[in-house]
Amino acid sequence: AAEFGTGIEELDRRGVVPARAAVMLVLASTGIGKSWAMIHLAKFALMQRKRVLYASLELGEEELGLRFYQAFFGVTNRAPRDPIYARGLEKDALGRLSAIEREEIVPEFSFDSENLEDELETRRRLMEGKFKNLEIKRFPTRGLTVAGLRGYLDALETAGFIPDMVILDYIGIMRTDAKDHRISLGRTLEDFRGMCVERSVAGVTAQQMGREAARTSKGGQTNVSEDWSLIGTSDICISINATS
């Protein structure tokens, strides 16, 4: 069995999962859910008792912390005014579609709850061991190089924290050579993968898809923004697609 998983049956069954000394690249258009996808992968690694470094060049540490609470505990930003439903497909013995199920989802609490502090603290205590395995660090946009990330990992190791997974959110806003951004971006991903090989960690990062991908439900590798070589450097590439 693979060391890491995603918790998504179809991906796990096909081995589309993070792996040590390899990089998984998540492709998506703006606002579709690159960060949420990486938070999900981090959450699942933590559930498997792995240590995770989440290095962000976009979201702040507090906002990411709240997102992790949402991911772990099913917290909503605010109590929903209308019912929320999840739909599923029901099949008969021959595997044919027989019905569309509908189940109401009722969040246990939300961030606007009067008892939010008590609700979070109670759940945090139950998950305390797993949260100790998570390190969230924000770096300035365009202010981080792979050498800088290596230095930060060295500092963590000195403090006794050696991650099994490094999530970089995201490769497209790392520091690059402004005179030749595309070539520099490709080399940055190569350096990130090299670091993952050297340290035997599972690497996960993301990149934007181009404008054309926002108009289709089937955006893929050919829609990667900036540098096509990112696809060739990555060991596994997945795309998240949604039309408006």
Side-chain angles (χ1 to χ4, degrees):
E3 180 181 3
F4 297 89
T6 68
I8 301 171
E9 182 181 353
E10 292 298 322
L11 297 181
D12 291 344
R13 186 160 56 86
R14 289 172 168 80
V16 184
V17 296
R20 290 187 187 272
V23 169
M24 172 181 276
L25 179 67
V26 178
L27 298 176
S29 298
T30 302
I32 295 298
K34 294 186 296 298
S35 294
W36 277 113
M38 289 186 283
I39 287 169
H40 174 81
L41 292 171
K43 168 194 166 183
F44 205 78
L46 292 167
M47 296 296 289
Q48 295 172 296
R49 300 186 182 280
K50 304 297 184 183
R51 287 185 168 187
V52 177
L53 167 63
Y54 196 107
S56 172
L57 290 93
E58 193 169 38
L59 299 175
E61 292 163 4
E62 183 176 345
E63 183 175 355
L64 280 167
L66 291 174
R67 288 195 178 196
F68 271 99
Y69 277 134
Q70 287 184 281
F72 269 101
F73 306 138
V75 191
T76 58
N77 280 326
R78 60 192 65 84
R81 296 180 180 178
D82 301 313
I84 300 171
Y85 296 101
R87 289 175 171 79
L89 305 180
E90 186 177 307
K91 298 181 180 180
D92 61 21
L94 298 177
R96 298 173 301 190
L97 178 65
S98 59
I100 298 178
E101 303 170 322
R102 190 176 80 159
E103 178 184 0
E104 184 175 355
I105 304 298
V106 182
E108 292 187 29
F109 67 105
S110 60
F111 283 144
D112 60 3
S113 169
E114 292 181 358
N115 303 314
L116 176 62
E117 186 174 351
D118 293 336
E119 295 277 13
L120 285 178
E121 182 59 23
T122 299
R123 288 163 175 78
R124 189 195 65 79
R125 283 200 298 266
L126 294 173
M127 300 287 291
E128 190 168 10
K130 293 183 174 61
F131 279 116
K132 285 182 178 178
N133 287 336
L134 172 65
E135 180 74 23
I136 299 174
K137 176 64 177 176
R138 185 184 192 181
F139 295 93
T141 301
R142 300 286 180 203
L144 180 66
T145 63
V146 174
L149 183 57
R150 277 195 178 97
Y152 185 71
L153 286 167
D154 288 340
L156 286 179
E157 187 171 342
T158 301
F161 187 94
I162 303 175
D164 302 290
M165 175 183 284
V166 175
I167 295 184
L168 179 59
D169 187 6
Y170 60 98
I171 195 73
I173 49 178
M174 292 275 282
R175 183 189 296 175
T176 56
D177 183 353
K179 295 179 181 178
D180 206 339
H181 174 62
R182 290 189 176 185
I183 292 177
S184 181
L185 178 61
R187 288 178 177 170
T188 298
L189 184 59
E190 291 172 1
D191 289 343
F192 178 59
R193 186 180 184 279
M195 186 203 75
C196 293
V197 172
E198 290 169 7
R199 296 175 181 265
S200 189
V201 298
V204 179
T205 189
Q207 175 61 340
Q208 301 273 22
M209 288 201 287
R211 276 179 282 182
E212 285 300 315
R215 302 189 185 103
T216 177
S217 60
K218 296 182 180 180
Q221 294 181 359
T222 56
N223 299 109
V224 64
S225 179
E226 298 295 350
D227 186 4
W228 166 254
S229 75
L230 299 180
I231 302 298
T233 302
S234 305
D235 298 273
I236 296 172
C237 182
I238 62 174
S239 65
I240 305 173
N241 300 284
T243 63
S244 58

